[in-house]
Amino acid sequence: PGAGTGGGLHVLLGLDGSEAVIENSEFNGNTNGYGAGVWSSVNGGLSIRNSEISDNTSTIENSTGGGIDQDFVFENNLLSGNTAAQGAGMYISVPPYPIIADIINNTFSANSAEDQGGGIYLASQTLRIFSSTFSGNTAQGVANAIHTASSQTTLALKSSILAGPDGPLCTGGGTYYSFGYNIATDDSCNLAAATDLPSTEPLLGVLQENGGPTRVHPLNPGSPAVNAIPPALCTDLGRP
């Protein structure tokens, strides 16, 4: 334990366009000051795929990123049971250059923030979330799922499920866009597309193995998410 960065992994890249790719890995049970699971200071590119980042704890006051602190492409991963003051699952900071972070087919489950952003804390920039599930993430301050901290933030959602306990799933400033086929248990995420289902219970099962690279929340019988997306739209990884 300490006040450092990256209890499980610290990724540091320079200005030469270098790219780090992490696949089929586990970062579990780590403790540190910031980014207890993974912390990245990246001027190139970072991709994490088919990995699990679970039960990590950021310990100091105003800590960030119990699971991961800063990211770019995040695909087919599980973030579960991570704790921090802000952004328990993931904290996306303010880099000195514009970024677009993509979160594709991920599960954020039972992450807990002491302050804001149980699932994700977006400090600035643009975040696009496709085909992902948020379930049971909590924050004592605001936002059980996602907190957008600045008027400069942009959050886009498509084909995703946001479910949580009482309290707003999405809070903060900035601009929210929906590209359709989202389901949420409340109406806080500006889901205004014709195919969205705000204030709807998605009927998720418990976190479990289901034949993929990580554990997921399967759909229980009768879930409105079953066959909700036309097959023709299931081949583009959910990207708008």
Side-chain angles (χ1 to χ4, degrees):
T5 53
L9 177 68
H10 181 160
V11 181
L12 177 62
L13 298 178
L15 295 170
D16 60 354
S18 302
E19 181 175 1
V21 178
I22 300 169
E23 296 181 335
N24 306 310
S25 301
E26 293 185 1
F27 301 92
N28 300 335
N30 299 288
T31 302
N32 214 325
Y34 299 94
V38 178
W39 188 88
S40 65
S41 176
V42 179
N43 290 307
L46 173 64
S47 299
I48 300 179
R49 299 184 176 92
N50 305 326
S51 297
E52 179 173 327
I53 302 173
S54 296
D55 301 319
N56 301 287
T57 301
S58 292
T59 55
I60 67 173
E61 185 177 0
N62 298 322
S63 61
T64 58
I68 181 167
D69 193 327
Q70 302 183 39
D71 191 22
F72 290 98
V73 177
F74 200 69
E75 187 170 1
N76 299 329
N77 302 291
L78 168 65
L79 290 97
S80 175
N82 300 291
T83 60
Q86 298 178 335
M90 179 184 294
Y91 182 95
I92 301 176
S93 188
V94 185
Y97 47 87
I99 66 166
I100 297 177
D102 284 345
I103 293 177
I104 305 162
N105 197 31
N106 296 279
T107 298
F108 290 76
S109 177
N111 300 288
S112 178
E114 297 174 7
D115 188 6
Q116 299 171 329
I120 296 175
Y121 184 105
L122 179 62
S124 186
Q125 311 297 336
T126 296
L127 175 63
R128 305 188 300 188
I129 299 175
F130 317 114
S131 304
S132 294
T133 298
F134 294 77
S135 178
N137 301 286
T138 60
Q140 294 183 9
V142 295
N144 290 320
I146 303 167
H147 180 69
T148 52
S150 166
S151 61
Q152 303 303 311
T153 57
T154 299
L155 175 66
L157 291 163
K158 183 179 180 182
S159 307
S160 294
I161 295 174
L162 299 96
D166 293 339
L169 291 166
C170 298
T171 59
T175 303
Y176 284 60
Y177 293 104
S178 171
F179 291 93
Y181 299 102
N182 300 292
I183 300 175
T185 52
D186 70 10
D187 61 357
S188 63
C189 300
N190 194 31
L191 302 182
T195 53
D196 287 333
L197 294 174
S199 301
T200 300
E201 176 55 57
L203 299 179
L204 299 176
V206 299
L207 192 67
Q208 61 187 271
E209 299 288 348
N210 201 41
T214 67
R215 293 173 292 157
V216 298
H217 288 281
L219 302 176
N220 281 329
S223 169
V226 174
N227 298 324
I229 303 175
L233 300 181
C234 294
T235 59
D236 64 350
L237 293 178
R239 293 181 175 88

